[in-house]
Amino acid sequence: MLRRLALTAAAVAALAPLATRAPAVRAGAGHKHQSHKHQRQPLTLEKAHDLLALDRLTYAGARDALLAGRRRPDACDRFVREVAAKRRHRDRGWVLTEQLVSLALDAHARRGQASRARDLAAHEINGCDYTFTTLQHPHDDYFRGYACNSQVHVTLLSATSAVVVYATPDAAAPSSVSYRQLSSGSSATASGSRYSYTTLASVNNPQIWDPAMGAPAYSLQEIVDAANTTLWAVPGSASRASDADPSGLQNYQNPGMIYASPVIHVVALEDLVAGASYAYTIPADGVERVFRVPGDAYPTTLGLTADLGQTIVSARSLEKLGDLAPDAVLLSGDLSYADGWPFRWDSFAALAAGVFGSVPVLTTGGNHEIGMSENWQHYVARWPTPYEASSSTSPLYWSVDVGPVHVVALNSYDNFLNGGDRLQRAWLEADLSQKRDGWTVVMMHAPFYNTNKVHALEAELMREAYEPLLLKYGVDVVLSGHVHSYERSDAQGVYDGAPNPCGPVYLNLGDGGNR
């Protein structure tokens, strides 16, 4: 019997659910095979360009690709064994080429979108009176400290448990969630944990005040004012500073550049029923919200997005995700684009709460969660993952069953030199080796295959180490972001730089809304 998996994308105005495609047959199933010779070759951008179809105006290509269907042929298990044998004996070296491929951009379309891709203004996100200001302008909410907004979102921990995350401006509210199952009326209250933290702000990205597209989030003068301590630091004080061009990690001697988070509450809801809907209330605002635990049967609908950001295009993508009413949303990295400016984590969570408070969201970190002085701090503190339930030692890689679909998240920014990623790689093989009948979807931020010269072959070391595992255990689909466009591979699958019915289908979905 064929299973159904619907993949729905966030950044499209109209997208019908995708239909039937059989999951891959796992290795070791005992089928007869035909001989299939294969020699791994270095990946080049030319190969990547040939493998990926670019389509910036519609997601019909992805729908057509998966509608075409792809059964894992009997020859795949034999092919996997031959590849493994060759890898044991071949030279371990590889070549990173510098050949570049021009990307087929519609320049006119990009220019037309530029004025609409600005960051949202303060009044366009549900904020409040609790603000972060400077002494120069004490009544202006320069940096959108949306600490009063509940910033609520739901994440799956397992097939029968979820976690609710929300924020409060102070510690008066308890860390608890009252919830009830809509069909049976049974109710309960769960208690959780809470914490807050401080961190230095960092001015890393001129995109904050001089974006390539759209209007700026803040003016340079506002950031200069925050760095200016002369209104309170007396002459001779080590904290006294007036920098006309602040950049990089700011001075710890300036408390005006130290971000103080709201209180983050994390509450786990256990013993949920697959397929059931739950109404829940948090003390922060008393609003009743509803989310549904994914059912354990097909059809299953997944909303896909990456590189979301907080522009007005991001808001439209989130609105469309909500309209699609998926069982869960998979967000493949680059959430807030705070880039070291921590206040934007509050505004992003406030923006996303409208959808992710009612649709479970599963995330993996991207380069904007580790780079720009981020170092995973805000991401890990605010967006929990089901890593403990999946026997992972890191919140940056994990797995969970979303109904009948096994979803695996990987960290694109591990140390892939000389076995530095051994913990992640060993965990991945242990996870994938467990026998499952349904689909397996892997999500990560940096794509193995893309045609963008700025991100050319960034993930090549990871691809070299991990692609054979995806092949060996019959992964069906690999989701990535990073490249701010939509790209897809041949529907029959890809392995080692060539179309191959034994390999996964690759979807790059980095056009969620950021500039």
Side-chain angles (χ1 to χ4, degrees):
M1 181 177 68
L2 295 179
R3 284 128 169 119
R4 289 180 178 270
L5 175 66
L7 301 180
T8 52
V12 194
L15 175 63
L18 308 185
T20 305
R21 192 173 85 84
V25 178
R26 295 296 178 268
H31 298 292
K32 294 181 179 179
H33 306 289
Q34 64 186 29
S35 178
H36 195 324
K37 301 291 186 181
H38 180 77
Q39 178 65 48
R40 287 177 68 84
Q41 298 293 329
L43 179 65
T44 67
L45 271 174
E46 290 175 340
K47 284 185 181 179
H49 188 274
D50 291 340
L51 289 169
L52 298 173
L54 306 184
D55 184 353
R56 297 177 179 282
L57 302 181
T58 174
Y59 277 75
R63 182 172 64 247
D64 294 343
L66 294 176
L67 280 173
R70 176 179 66 86
R71 286 185 177 275
R72 186 175 173 89
D74 292 345
C76 287
D77 290 347
R78 172 69 173 273
F79 175 63
V80 167
R81 288 195 294 271
E82 290 182 353
V83 167
K86 288 182 180 293
R87 283 177 60 82
R88 284 194 293 269
H89 298 292
R90 74 176 182 85
D91 179 7
R92 296 291 296 173
W94 54 82
V95 177
L96 301 181
T97 79
E98 294 182 357
Q99 292 175 286
L100 302 181
V101 176
S102 61
L103 198 58
L105 295 176
D106 184 339
H108 177 74
R110 285 180 67 93
R111 284 195 297 271
Q113 294 172 0
S115 62
R116 301 194 300 274
R118 62 170 174 80
D119 273 19
L120 288 159
H123 67 276
E124 296 175 280
I125 303 177
N126 181 22
C128 63
D129 294 333
Y130 184 94
T131 61
F132 178 90
T133 65
T134 68
L135 290 178
Q136 289 89 336
H137 303 277
H139 303 296
D140 292 338
D141 184 9
Y142 276 179
F143 308 127
R144 303 189 206 163
Y146 286 94
C148 289
N149 186 282
S150 64
Q151 305 181 28
V152 64
H153 54 275
V154 179
T155 295
L156 299 176
L157 293 180
S158 71
T160 58
S161 61
V163 62
V164 177
V165 182
Y166 63 93
T168 57
D170 54 47
S175 301
S176 64
V177 173
S178 299
Y179 61 104
R180 59 186 173 87
Q181 185 180 336
L182 294 185
S183 58
S184 69
S186 61
S187 62
T189 297
S191 298
S193 60
R194 61 184 181 176
Y195 52 87
S196 60
Y197 63 96
T198 60
T199 187
L200 270 175
S202 189
V203 182
N204 294 304
N205 197 343
Q207 294 282 336
I208 294 176
W209 63 85
D210 186 22
M213 297 175 64
Y218 323 98
S219 71
L220 177 59
Q221 186 58 53
E222 289 171 339
I223 295 172
V224 168
D225 286 347
N228 187 343
T229 68
T230 57
L231 287 184
W232 59 268
V234 299
S237 167
S239 296
R240 189 173 177 88
S242 178
D243 190 348
D245 185 22
S247 62
L249 191 64
Q250 294 300 290
N251 193 338
Y252 70 90
Q253 295 170 321
N254 177 9
M257 279 297 193
I258 295 177
Y259 167 80
S261 79
V263 179
I264 310 297
H265 303 259
V266 180
V267 182
L269 312 184
E270 305 286 354
D271 299 321
L272 304 178
V273 177
S277 294
Y278 290 84
Y280 71 97
T281 305
I282 58 176
D285 55 21
V287 175
E288 185 175 79
R289 299 172 174 86
V290 176
F291 77 96
R292 178 180 176 272
V293 181
D296 56 7
Y298 295 98
T300 294
T301 303
L302 300 176
L304 310 179
T305 189
D307 301 77
L308 192 54
Q310 44 193 301
T311 69
I312 58 174
V313 178
S314 312
R316 292 169 184 168
S317 294
L318 285 164
E319 180 182 9
K320 179 53 60 180
L321 275 175
D323 292 344
L324 292 168
D327 293 284
V329 171
L330 307 184
L331 202 173
S332 300
D334 282 4
L335 282 67
S336 71
Y337 286 84
D339 293 340
W341 198 244
F343 315 98
R344 287 172 60 78
W345 281 102
D346 290 317
S347 52
F348 172 77
L351 171 65
V355 174
F356 297 156
S358 57
V359 178
V361 60
L362 292 160
T363 70
T364 188
N367 59 298
H368 286 270
E369 276 73 65
I370 185 174
M372 305 283 192
S373 302
E374 287 286 325
N375 290 320
W376 303 120
Q377 180 180 8
H378 304 285
Y379 171 69
V380 170
R382 294 167 175 265
W383 295 85
T385 64
Y387 77 100
E388 292 177 309
S390 55
S391 301
S392 168
T393 58
S394 169
L396 304 178
Y397 50 89
W398 50 263
S399 69
V400 69
D401 290 337
V402 181
V405 181
H406 187 61
V407 177
V408 179
L410 297 179
N411 176 15
S412 292
Y413 302 100
D414 207 335
N415 182 347
F416 299 109
L417 293 172
N418 299 321
D421 64 321
R422 62 193 180 281
L423 295 178
Q424 179 175 205
R425 189 146 33 96
W427 170 85
L428 175 63
E429 180 147 27
D431 183 87
L432 292 180
S433 65
Q434 300 177 42
K435 183 175 176 57
R436 299 180 179 91
D437 294 327
W439 283 57
T440 299
V441 175
V442 169
M443 58 187 289
M444 55 191 175
H445 187 62
F448 286 176
Y449 300 99
N450 78 87
T451 65
N452 189 302
K453 64 183 181 180
V454 176
H455 298 305
L457 304 173
E458 276 187 20
E460 184 66 355
L461 297 183
M462 185 180 184
R463 183 186 75 86
E464 174 72 15
Y466 287 68
E467 192 178 30
L469 294 178
L470 307 187
L471 172 81
K472 178 179 179 180
Y473 295 107
V475 169
D476 295 290
V477 179
V478 177
L479 308 173
S480 299
H482 200 37
V483 175
H484 290 195
S485 63
Y486 165 65
E487 300 176 316
R488 64 176 173 85
S489 70
D490 190 286
Q492 68 171 308
V494 168
Y495 178 70
D496 196 24
N500 190 312
C502 302
V505 170
Y506 289 83
L507 294 176
N508 299 340
L509 303 161
D511 51 357
N514 196 61
R515 291 182 290 267

